[in-house]
């Protein structure tokens, strides 16, 4: 039988974080994620993974402690459910998702929710997989993002009005980010280098508290991009993706 473990204050310093980043030395993004998660464990964040070196994990938290601007009473929020080869095809994804659902039920929660979209986005969990486990769209933004929820009692969470119609009052490239994803450090470094090389003004806002995350004017899982006042994406950027946004 496969063994799954939860990260705890006692083991988080030594456990692999299931990221596909490979480095012989400590990677700044991985260590930033480790520190971020360590500080969240006391508020109910859960990182559960296959006890193997690879990518097979789920990360979730009570919605009131989750760094996302979603409103809902007594819900849990899934940041990420990610299973990569060679671990696919063994039912591990279902086992991890069911663990989260059962955990929420044991806690007396009203349900579990996650961020989705009208089409699958690269940096969001597989929403079609979630739908096979009973998740349904319960709210939408005007720019293609959806809130999926599995309700236990008929109540549902929702997006604030500002999130449904995202806009900021600056034309400058603006990025909100936190340290929840190990890829964040290298993504932000790339943005800085690209913008310096191409003389592009940029505002980088490090989201450093749950209150700051919940006050954001857009959907947010750990990253959000605006350009010319218009929301662009939650996907972490490559240089090519950034160039496409700036050319539009």
């Amino acid at each position: 039988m496969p063994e799954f473990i939860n990260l705890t204050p006692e083991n988080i310093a030594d456990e692999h974080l299931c990221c596909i980043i490979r480095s012989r030395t400590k990677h700044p993004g991985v260590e930033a994620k480790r520190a971020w998660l360590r500080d969240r464990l006391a508020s109910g964040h859960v990182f559960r993974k296959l006890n193997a070196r690879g990518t097979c994990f789920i990360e979730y938290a009570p919605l009131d402690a989750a760094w996302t601007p979603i409103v809902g009473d007594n819900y849990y929020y899934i940041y990420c459910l990610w299973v990569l080869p060679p671990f696919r095809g063994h039912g591990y994804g279902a086992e991890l998702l069911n663990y989260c659902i059962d955990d929420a039920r044991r806690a007396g929660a009203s349900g579990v929710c996650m961020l989705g979209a009208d089409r699958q986005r690269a940096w969001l969990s597989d929403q079609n997989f979630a739908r096979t486990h009973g998740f349904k769209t319960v709210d939408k933004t005007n720019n293609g993002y959806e809130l999926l929820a599995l309700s236990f009692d008929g109540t549902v969470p929702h997006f604030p009005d500002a999130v449904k119609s995202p806009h900021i009052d600056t034309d400058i490239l603006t990025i909100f980010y936190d340290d929840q994803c190990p890829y964040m450090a290298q993504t932000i470094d790339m943005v800085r280098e690209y913008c310096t090389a191409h003389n592009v003004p940029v505002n980088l806002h490090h989201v450093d508290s749950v209150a700051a995350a919940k006050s954001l004017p857009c959907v947010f899982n750990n990253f959000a991009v605006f350009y010319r006042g218009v929301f662009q994406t939650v996907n972490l950027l490559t240089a090519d993706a950034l160039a496409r946004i700036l050319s539009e």
Side-chain angles (χ1 to χ4, degrees):
M1 293 291 292
E3 179 188 6
F4 290 89
I5 60 173
N6 288 9
L7 296 189
T8 68
E10 291 73 32
N11 67 15
I12 191 171
D14 301 317
E15 285 293 338
H16 182 248
L17 294 186
C18 294
C19 181
I20 60 174
I21 293 174
R22 298 290 182 262
S23 176
R24 292 182 179 275
T25 59
K26 288 188 175 182
H27 186 280
V30 173
E31 295 312 308
K33 166 58 184 277
R34 196 184 305 277
W36 184 91
L37 181 59
R38 182 187 296 112
D39 291 342
R40 310 278 83 75
L41 293 176
S43 59
H45 277 61
V46 174
F47 190 106
R48 184 170 178 82
K49 72 187 194 80
L50 187 67
N51 191 16
R53 195 167 184 84
T55 303
C56 183
F57 73 95
I58 190 169
E59 183 174 357
Y60 63 91
L63 182 57
D64 61 358
W67 290 37
T68 185
I70 294 170
V71 178
D73 292 331
N74 202 27
Y75 258 76
Y76 274 40
Y77 176 77
I78 297 174
Y79 288 101
C80 191
L81 171 60
W82 201 10
V83 179
L84 291 183
F87 303 118
R88 286 181 178 169
H90 301 283
Y92 296 158
E95 188 162 348
L96 288 166
L97 182 55
N98 285 330
Y99 179 91
C100 171
I101 293 169
D102 290 344
D103 196 17
R105 288 187 185 277
R106 285 192 298 268
S110 294
V112 180
C113 64
M114 60 182 282
L115 183 61
D118 55 2
R119 56 183 175 82
Q120 184 65 47
R121 310 296 169 106
W123 290 88
L124 296 180
S125 299
D126 187 340
Q127 59 206 38
N128 288 331
F129 179 75
R131 292 183 195 281
T132 66
H133 286 74
F135 284 72
K136 298 178 180 179
T137 298
V138 297
D139 205 358
K140 297 181 179 182
T141 69
N142 67 4
N143 60 343
Y145 288 88
E146 300 182 355
L147 179 57
L148 278 66
L150 173 64
S151 178
F152 304 153
D153 61 8
T155 64
V156 294
H158 65 274
F159 292 125
D161 289 342
V163 171
K164 290 183 181 182
S165 302
H167 178 80
I168 59 174
D169 294 326
T170 178
D171 287 342
I172 293 174
L173 175 67
T174 301
I175 296 176
F176 299 95
Y177 69 97
D178 64 25
D179 296 320
Q180 187 269 338
C181 179
Y183 285 92
M184 198 61 68
Q186 64 195 55
T187 299
I188 296 302
D189 285 347
M190 180 280 296
V191 170
R192 285 196 180 101
E193 292 170 6
Y194 184 99
C195 290
T196 298
H198 294 82
N199 197 29
V200 175
V202 60
N203 292 330
L204 296 172
H205 295 278
H206 185 211
V207 178
D208 59 2
S209 70
V210 65
K214 290 193 177 299
S215 67
L216 290 173
C218 59
V219 292
F220 184 79
N221 202 44
N222 50 45
F223 191 76
V225 182
F226 283 84
Y227 184 54
R228 294 179 178 169
V230 178
F231 180 79
Q232 301 293 323
T233 186
V234 296
N235 286 351
L236 273 68
L237 298 174
T238 62
D240 287 344
L242 178 54
R244 285 194 296 271
I245 289 172
L246 295 172
S247 68
E248 294 177 355

